[in-house]
Amino acid sequence: MSSVAEMTSPLGRELVLTRLMDVPREKIYRCWTEPELLKQWFAPRPFTTPVAELDVRPGGATYIVMRSPEGQDMPMRGVYLEVVPNERLVFTDAFTRAWEPSEKPFFTGILTLAEEAGRTRYTARARHWTREDCEAHEKMGFHEGWGQCAEQLATLAAAL
Amino acid sequence: MSSVAEMTSPLGRELVLTRLMDVPREKIYRCWTEPELLKQWFAPRPFTTPVAELDVRPGGATYIVMRSPEGQDMPMRGVYLEVVPNERLVFTDAFTRAWEPSEKPFFTGILTLAEEAGRTRYTARARHWTREDCEAHEKMGFHEGWGQCAEQLATLAAAL
């Protein structure tokens, strides 16, 4: 993990986290798409991820549960919008499954993995429907949380 | 057009229009996916559809402009979520293109075309993110408007 850049988009509804990881992108992609791997890095420790159901295809559903140190569960449902193995994943919480609108469309996530001088440029974007939700996400600790998870992910991927 | 059924889903966020059309589903699908055909039926007359740009593939964008008799334009942008030729189209206004969240996610449309005793069962669903939007859509004249358009569509498709 040798480069850090964090920003908010000019439009004010996107948060971006990017890292240069010294791991082949295939291993990073596996950590995002294999449930038993995702469970090991997806929540910022000491939070955990006891449940991860991932139907990795466009229109496929995700069901992920994060658990706080106090034992409180945070279930999250979503749908993949785009799947390009080893390169790109797009998912959203606007649907709970194809195509059931959720109670609250909060954000769409875009993960891109690109080769860069033998390493992997890891970019995770969160695009929100409202500026208010974007600001709330940032205040919830987007950069710290997703940044910590990216480190957990890079460590796990490097060990595969 | 020999059968009519209109309903609101139990969940209260879906509007459904269905018709049995005496036209092969391939022709109905063409009317939904070829811009020069869509322009001829998409708006309830005397409204017109001067612009229809349709990138018919998952993630492809739509840009459609309806025009009132007084000349007021209503531009609409959306994205296809699922495309199964001659069978099924899913699209939403939650994105203006892949994958830019729109200002206001209002509904997701699901069109299904099924063979039924030599005719085509035409079903158009509008699923909303909120109950309020669903009720507003119904009061805007969903069943009358989509119903009139379905008749325009059936007439056009039969003449192809």
Side-chain angles (χ1 to χ4, degrees):
Chain A
M1 192 128 340
S2 61
S3 157
V4 173
E6 287 159 352
M7 46 195 151
T8 302
S9 75
L11 279 172
R13 294 199 283 148
E14 180 180 84
L15 300 172
V16 182
L17 182 120
T18 175
R19 295 284 190 278
L20 197 55
M21 295 183 178
D22 204 3
V23 188
R25 59 186 184 172
E26 291 76 11
K27 293 185 178 182
I28 299 170
Y29 186 78
R30 282 186 58 198
C31 292
W32 264 91
T33 54
E34 295 181 18
E36 293 314 312
L37 294 177
L38 184 131
K39 287 178 185 176
Q40 297 178 53
W41 69 268
F42 191 75
R45 293 188 193 106
F47 285 69
T48 59
T49 309
V51 179
E53 299 171 9
L54 313 172
D55 183 7
V56 188
R57 59 185 175 88
T62 61
Y63 177 57
I64 298 174
V65 179
M66 296 209 307
R67 183 169 292 162
S68 77
E70 295 76 29
Q72 194 185 351
D73 282 354
M74 286 153 282
M76 297 173 292
R77 291 185 187 275
V79 165
Y80 293 104
L81 296 172
E82 202 179 316
V83 174
V84 184
N86 304 322
E87 285 183 27
R88 185 172 163 86
L89 280 177
V90 183
F91 49 93
T92 185
D93 61 10
F95 300 95
T96 54
R97 62 188 183 90
W99 298 98
E100 301 275 3
S102 62
E103 290 293 315
K104 163 70 183 166
F106 182 67
F107 84 107
T108 294
I110 303 176
L111 170 74
T112 53
L113 305 172
E115 273 196 42
E116 195 172 303
R119 292 189 284 183
T120 298
R121 169 63 60 188
Y122 175 95
T123 306
R125 297 168 194 278
R127 292 185 177 166
H128 305 77
W129 272 276
T130 71
R131 185 180 293 261
E132 293 69 32
D133 284 346
C134 184
E135 288 169 3
H137 204 176
E138 191 168 27
K139 283 184 188 148
M140 281 159 59
F142 170 86
H143 289 112
E144 300 81 352
W146 285 40
Q148 182 183 334
C149 291
E151 287 187 32
Q152 295 173 179
L153 163 64
T155 303
L156 175 65
L160 289 178
Chain B
M1 193 130 338
S2 61
S3 158
V4 173
E6 287 160 350
M7 46 196 151
T8 303
S9 74
L11 281 171
R13 293 199 283 147
E14 180 181 84
L15 300 173
V16 182
L17 181 120
T18 176
R19 295 284 189 279
L20 197 55
M21 294 182 179
D22 203 2
V23 188
R25 60 185 184 172
E26 291 75 10
K27 293 185 179 182
I28 299 171
Y29 186 79
R30 282 186 58 197
C31 292
W32 264 91
T33 54
E34 296 182 17
E36 293 313 314
L37 294 177
L38 183 131
K39 287 178 184 177
Q40 297 178 53
W41 69 267
F42 191 75
R45 293 188 193 107
F47 285 69
T48 59
T49 310
V51 179
E53 298 171 10
L54 313 172
D55 184 8
V56 188
R57 59 186 176 85
T62 61
Y63 177 57
I64 298 175
V65 178
M66 295 208 309
R67 183 170 292 162
S68 77
E70 295 76 30
Q72 192 184 353
D73 281 354
M74 287 153 281
M76 298 173 291
R77 291 185 187 276
V79 165
Y80 294 104
L81 296 170
E82 202 178 317
V83 174
V84 184
N86 303 322
E87 284 183 27
R88 185 173 162 86
L89 280 177
V90 183
F91 49 93
T92 184
D93 61 10
F95 300 94
T96 53
R97 61 189 184 90
W99 297 99
E100 302 274 4
S102 63
E103 290 293 315
K104 164 68 182 167
F106 182 68
F107 83 106
T108 295
I110 303 176
L111 170 74
T112 53
L113 305 173
E115 274 196 42
E116 197 173 302
R119 292 188 285 182
T120 299
R121 170 60 61 188
Y122 175 94
T123 306
R125 296 168 193 277
R127 291 185 177 166
H128 305 77
W129 272 275
T130 71
R131 186 179 293 260
E132 292 70 30
D133 285 346
C134 185
E135 288 170 3
H137 204 175
E138 191 169 25
K139 283 184 188 148
M140 280 159 59
F142 170 86
H143 290 112
E144 299 82 350
W146 286 39
Q148 183 182 334
C149 291
E151 287 188 33
Q152 295 172 181
L153 164 64
T155 303
L156 175 65
L160 290 178

